[in-house]
Each structure stands twice: as structure tokens, then as C-alpha cells.
């Protein structure tokens, strides 16, 4: 199935959203809860899967749903369609936390990219979004985000979300080692694995995590400076009893004593 040809515009700087323009009958598929606003005549429906194969059997849909559930992704995806008899209509998808929306022309990228499991935001109908697991069971138990990837294939537009600043690197046979949470996406011709982060001392005391993603070969890699897990960990540490409250916590603690 060929992907629908959608037009789009990205708004904002560090808290972006993408506005997608649909011709009559065109559809965009999005992660559940991504919609920001939609114009009249836009209809939407939650469906199991991406709908890239209209003839897909119920068993295959269940298998795909099970894989998404195992990856802690939403089992259902929302399909937005321009149901107007004529004229363009618009629907917007917002990023779930501060960062950038990265547009991909899948046809220009070779028809496939591999992305971090929670990076997908939306794509033109006809795009296939599947779950890919790293082959090493050990990395599944300890490797964190890098064990589960999204395999995105098609010939249309797809949009990923990433935190902080985004950088695109072109590998020319080099090897790049990356924090597993900082990896957003890469082209499939790049060899990818998850390896231990140095010796036992470095793994336990280095603060860089137990595993690093290793990428080798020729192709493009997209990285993010602020993965969501770092934001969540810092917030959780500050909210925990006895946790750090940041700068001024000593003075703040003294003032709290006088307020009681």
C-alpha cells in the first residue's frame, strides 16, 4: 500500500507541534493522545494497528497488538481522515514533552528507519509501524530503552519526537557509542548492538548506565540531548522523601522551619 501524500508545517521551537494538511479522503495515523486540534470535517477512529495492510488477518493484528503491549506502547492508534467532499482540512499533533519534532521522508531515507520505541508521533496512512526487538536476551533484561525499537517502513512522511536538541550524524564506516536513551533513530544499514559500558567499576559508579548503544557502518543517525527518562529520573529524585531539592534547598529548608 502506497502512503498518502500529506503536506505539513512544524510550529514552535522547543515545544513543537506539527500541523498536517489533508486532502479529501487522506488519512494520518497517530499515537493515541497526540492530537492537539482538528478542523471540522476531520473524523477520527481508534483502530488496532496502523492500517497499512487492509487485508491483514485478525490474527496478525492481534500479534502486532501483543508486541506493542509488550513494548509498553499503545495497542490502538488513532486514524484521522478528511471526510469533507472538497477542500483541505488540517489536524495538529503535539509533542508530549519539550523537544523537537523530526520529519522523515521515508522514500528519500530508503523506505525504512529504526527508531526509539516511544519516538513515533504520527505518519501518513500506509506507513507500517512495527516493533523490533534486539536479538540479545541479556540486553532485554538490562539494556533499557535500546532493547526495543520501532521499525517504520513506507514511502511517505513520518514524524518522530525527541527531547532537547537534535543532532544528525553521518557515519562513514565509523563506530559511535551512544547512551541508549539518547538514540532517536538510525538507518537500517547501520549495524546496531548494545554493549556493556566499560568494566564493572565504570558500570556501577560511572553514572552513564550499564549499557551503551554501539552503531557502526555507513548511514545517518539521529540523537537527542535530553531523553525523557532523564527528566523523569530527576523529577522523581527531587520529589522523593529526603531527595535533593536543587539550589537553595538549604535556605528553603530553614525558611520552612520558620513557617511551621
Amino acid at each position: 500500500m502506497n502512503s498518502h501524500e500529506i503536506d505539513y508545517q512544524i510550529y514552535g521551537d522547543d515545544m513543537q507541534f506539527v500541523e498536517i494538511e489533508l486532502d479529501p479522503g487522506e488519512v494520518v495515523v497517530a499515537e493515541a493522545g497526540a492530537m492537539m486540534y482538528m478542523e471540522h470535517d476531520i473524523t477520527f477512529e481508534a483502530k488496532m494497528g496502523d492500517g497499512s495492510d487492509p487485508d491483514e488477518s485478525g490474527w496478525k493484528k492481534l500479534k502486532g497488538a501483543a508486541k506493542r503491549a509488550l513494548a509498553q506502547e499503545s495497542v490502538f492508534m488513532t486514524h484521522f481522515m478528511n471526510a469533507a467532499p472538497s477542500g483541505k482540512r488540517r489536524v495538529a499533533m503535539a509533542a508530549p514533552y519539550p523537544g523537537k519534532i523530526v520529519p522523515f521522508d521515508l522514500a528519500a531515507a530508503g523506505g525504512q528507519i529504526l527508531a526509539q520505541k516511544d519516538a513515533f508521533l504520527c505518519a501518513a496512512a500506509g506507513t507500517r509501524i512495527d516493533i523490533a526487538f534486539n536479538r540479545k536476551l541479556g540486553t532485554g533484561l538490562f539494556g533499557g530503552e535500546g532493547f526495543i525499537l520501532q521499525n517504520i517502513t513506507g514511502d511517505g512522511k513520518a514524524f518522530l519526537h525527541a527531547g532537547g536538541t537534535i543532532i544528525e550524524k553521518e557515519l562513514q564506516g565509523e563506530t559511535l557509542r551512544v547512551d541508549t536513551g539518547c538514540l532517536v533513530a538510525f538507518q537500517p544499514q547501520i549495524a546496531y548492538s548494545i554493549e556493556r559500558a566499560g568494566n564493572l567499576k565504570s558500570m556501577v559508579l560511572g553514572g552513564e548506565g550499564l549499557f551503551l548503544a554501539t552503531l557502526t557502518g555507513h548511514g545517518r543517525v539521529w540523537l537527542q540531548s535530553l531523553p525523557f527518562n532523564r527528566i523523569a529520573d530527576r523529577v522523581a529524585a527531587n520529589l522523593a522523601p529526603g531527595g535533593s531539592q536543587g539550589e537553595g534547598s538549604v535556605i528553603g529548608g530553614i525558611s520552612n522551619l520558620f513557617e511551621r
Side-chain angles (χ1 to χ4, degrees), residues 47-114:
K47 296 184 180 180
M48 187 179 294
D50 51 46
S52 58
D53 184 2
D55 300 322
E56 190 175 44
S57 67
W59 170 243
K60 285 187 176 180
K61 288 182 179 180
L62 287 174
K63 279 182 64 179
K67 288 169 69 175
R68 290 180 62 82
L70 186 60
Q72 297 181 335
E73 294 284 336
S74 174
V75 173
F76 290 88
M77 306 185 79
T78 310
H79 296 234
F80 297 87
M81 184 181 74
N82 179 2
S86 63
K88 298 177 181 292
R89 299 292 186 269
R90 296 164 187 82
V91 58
M93 310 298 171
Y97 56 92
K100 304 290 184 183
I101 294 175
V102 187
F104 286 89
D105 184 336
L106 291 174
Q112 180 185 13
I113 56 170
L114 292 165

Side-chain angles (χ1 to χ4, degrees), residues 234 237-238 243-252:
R234 182 58 61 91
N238 280 271
S244 170
Q245 298 178 13
E247 294 181 10
S249 59
V250 175
I251 296 176

Side-chain angles (χ1 to χ4, degrees), residues 182-206:
C182 291
L183 179 63
V184 178
F186 58 95
Q187 292 183 298
Q189 62 266 32
I190 291 178
Y192 167 77
S193 64
I194 301 177
E195 300 177 359
R196 290 191 312 172
N199 56 33
L200 182 61
K201 179 181 178 182
S202 298
M203 291 174 66
V204 176
L205 303 176

Side-chain angles (χ1 to χ4, degrees), residues 14 95 97-102 119 160-166 184 223-227:
D14 292 325
Y97 56 92
K100 304 290 184 183
I101 294 175
V102 187
L160 304 184
H161 176 258
T165 300
I166 313 305
V184 178
L223 307 175
Q224 60 185 348
S225 66
L226 187 59

Side-chain angles (χ1 to χ4, degrees), residues 124-147:
T127 304
R128 185 169 186 82
I129 302 101
D130 198 6
I131 300 297
F133 294 95
N134 190 292
R135 290 188 295 269
K136 295 181 180 179
L137 180 60
T139 58
L141 298 175
F142 305 108
E145 303 90 341
F147 171 64

Side-chain angles (χ1 to χ4, degrees), residues 227-260:
F228 179 72
N229 67 306
R230 290 188 181 177
I231 301 175
D233 290 347
R234 182 58 61 91
V235 171
N238 280 271
L239 292 178
S244 170
Q245 298 178 13
E247 294 181 10
S249 59
V250 175
I251 296 176
I254 294 174
S255 66
N256 287 338
L257 289 176
F258 285 102
E259 290 174 359
R260 293 176 182 174

Side-chain angles (χ1 to χ4, degrees), residues 10-34:
I10 294 175
Y11 294 90
D13 185 14
D14 292 325
M15 305 181 93
Q16 295 183 329
F17 69 93
V18 56
E19 184 184 74
I20 296 170
E21 188 176 78
L22 300 175
D23 291 324
E26 283 186 340
V27 176
V28 62
V29 180
E31 278 291 344

